[in-house]
Amino acid sequence: MKFALFSLMMNLPNAVTGEALTTQQKFHNILEQAKLAERLGFDAYGIGERHGAPFLSSSPPVVLTAIAAATTRIRLLTTVTVLSILDPVRVAEDYATLDQLSGGRLEMIIGKGNDPRHYPLFGISEEEQWDSLDERYHLLKQLWSEENVTWQGTYRPPLEGVTTWPRPLQQSIPIWHGSASSTVSTELAAKYGEPLFTSNSFHPQAKYKALIDHYRERLDYYGHDPQQAVIGSGAGSLYLADTGEEAIRRYKPYYEAFHATAAAQHNQSPFTDLEDNIARGPVLIGSPEQVIEKILDYHAAYGHQVLSISVDGLTHSEQLEQVEHFAKEVAPVLRRELPSSVWNEPPVLTQHSSFLSSNATDSWPTAISPIFQV
């Protein structure tokens, strides 16, 4: 199994200490998280897109470009890019720039988003979200794969002979499809034989398994081998301690504070409390042995090759503690028990640039980035 550290950059006062970070401090915290993830051997770092307080993640390509400058190896993911509200021309330009500057380390997870507040900001209704996502997705793929694009649709002005610039560094930037609530996303992913990333955040396993099963069924329908499906999964929150009781005691204030927010209430999670979520839901709270057992159980249901975790909301010292515990006590067991072929090849590498961090080598050989085909 491969591992990613994700953040939505939610900036609320700490539920235990009451400490409040300034916006600049939170951005610095995210950069430190990403550098730590790379040092500890994580395979990817991801920023999710949200628009409006308390989230600071309205501009993932900007944040990921800063992370690219501070790292040399770790893959950079969007979790997700809310393509249903964005101009594909602007997306093609911004993310191709990031792909170039990062040395071909970009992978994009697209979706319609998980916060209805963004629809009026960008001029579409919530009822249009799926049609909008479908149209913009097809245009984005066309802009990255073709030159002199002529196109006409509903959600932006027509294009006549347009070639976006710069072109991506990778031959094909990998696109994953975020899946949380509807078979529309699993259908789209299956049609094009592209990877699926289940959010696995707010509901029992059965809800997300049904969507993954639909994805595999439709892969077969469209002529792709479902046995070669590429699937990633979120995991909710992470908190490790020597015993399950200690982990619950230490994490419960964070859980209760987060589930009181409007963002959490929007998802209508059915769990009554933290203990119920641990028993029936996706959160990874407990001893390393308990967390490993839970991940293995979810893998038996999902068959996923990539797992994302988050330490959002914790104090700085707890973030370091939790990421290190996971990397040293959980990840090695899962890498051994659940081998994954995803990301076995290095990203595209570039010649040294002054943009890159001082830790980069002076010369990088050329390689071909994996193109996900299932």
Side-chain angles (χ1 to χ4, degrees), residues 351-372:
Q351 293 183 350
H352 178 65
S353 164
S354 60
F355 170 82
L356 298 171
S357 85
S358 58
N359 293 326
T361 58
D362 288 338
S363 179
W364 291 1
T366 300
I368 299 298
S369 173
I371 300 172
F372 292 103

Side-chain angles (χ1 to χ4, degrees), residues 179-183 186 196 206-215:
S179 172
S181 60
S182 171
T183 57
T186 52
L196 188 77
K207 175 176 180 177
Y208 302 110
K209 183 179 185 301
L211 291 166
I212 294 170
D213 289 347
H214 175 265
Y215 168 61

Side-chain angles (χ1 to χ4, degrees), residues 13 38 43 54 92 114 122 149 166 189 204 215 219 292 370 372:
E38 178 166 88
D43 302 281
N114 192 36
F122 293 93
V149 171
Y215 168 61
L219 279 171
I292 290 169
F372 292 103

Side-chain angles (χ1 to χ4, degrees), residues 180-261:
S181 60
S182 171
T183 57
V184 176
S185 290
T186 52
E187 184 77 16
L188 194 62
K191 182 176 180 179
Y192 289 92
E194 292 175 328
L196 188 77
F197 213 109
T198 178
S199 68
N200 192 47
S201 298
F202 297 102
H203 295 277
Q205 184 184 94
K207 175 176 180 177
Y208 302 110
K209 183 179 185 301
L211 291 166
I212 294 170
D213 289 347
H214 175 265
Y215 168 61
R216 286 197 169 98
E217 291 168 6
R218 300 305 288 173
L219 279 171
D220 186 57
Y221 173 83
Y222 287 114
H224 306 289
D225 183 359
Q227 297 302 314
Q228 299 300 313
V230 176
I231 297 169
S233 175
S237 302
L238 171 76
Y239 208 101
L240 296 164
D242 291 339
T243 66
E245 293 76 14
E246 182 186 359
I248 291 172
R249 177 182 58 80
R250 292 176 63 182
Y251 186 69
K252 183 169 283 191
Y254 294 114
Y255 181 86
E256 293 176 347
F258 173 71
H259 282 269
T261 64

Side-chain angles (χ1 to χ4, degrees), residues 80-137:
V80 298
T81 295
V82 186
L83 193 56
S84 59
I85 60 171
L86 303 176
D87 179 0
V89 173
R90 183 78 256 187
V91 171
E93 293 171 339
D94 285 348
Y95 284 101
T97 301
L98 168 56
D99 195 47
Q100 289 283 347
L101 290 173
S102 68
R105 289 187 277 153
L106 171 66
E107 306 206 4
M108 181 177 287
I109 304 176
I110 66 165
K112 53 87 179 173
N114 192 36
D115 189 336
R117 295 178 300 170
H118 54 228
Y119 296 113
L121 286 176
F122 293 93
I124 72 167
S125 67
E126 191 167 356
E127 291 72 28
E128 295 176 289
Q129 59 186 334
W130 295 115
D131 290 339
S132 175
L133 175 64
D134 184 78
E135 177 182 295
R136 295 171 199 252
Y137 163 76

Side-chain angles (χ1 to χ4, degrees), residues 47-58:
I47 295 293
E49 181 179 340
R50 292 288 183 95
H51 297 271
F55 303 99
L56 301 178
S57 53
S58 58

